[in-house]
Amino acid sequence: MLLLTPMAAAAFNALADLFVFVVFSTDCEDCGFENLGLVLFGGVFAAIAVGVLLTVIRLRLREGKTEAPAFISIKEP
């Protein structure tokens, strides 16, 4: 469904090309299985950092809204 538009297909193609570039640019002769743990922990740390950053940004944007959310209670007043 996402690739139905030409712009989405071009963006996906550019992302795939970026991944190939990253794989080829980080490939080295000295790298072996010793570095896989470092790469794994680096990826986990990066994913956590991006998640925290996006959550903080979303909460900051939510604070700017003056509109209070509607509260529905199941108890009678």
Side-chain angles (χ1 to χ4, degrees), residues 17-51:
D17 290 341
L18 178 68
F19 284 147
V20 169
F21 174 74
V22 168
V23 167
F24 284 132
S25 66
T26 59
D27 190 29
C28 64
E29 297 296 325
D30 301 337
C31 299
F33 284 107
E34 301 88 31
N35 294 338
L36 289 179
L38 182 64
V39 171
L40 175 68
F41 287 125
V44 168
F45 178 72
I48 291 171
V50 167

Side-chain angles (χ1 to χ4, degrees), residues 1-2 12-13 17 45 51 54 57 61 69-70 77:
M1 187 75 176
L2 178 68
F12 182 75
N13 191 19
D17 290 341
F45 178 72
L54 290 176
I57 290 172
L61 290 175

Side-chain angles (χ1 to χ4, degrees), residues 58-66:
R58 190 177 70 174
L59 290 175
R60 296 285 176 159
L61 290 175
R62 188 184 298 171
E63 284 178 3
K65 295 180 182 177
T66 58

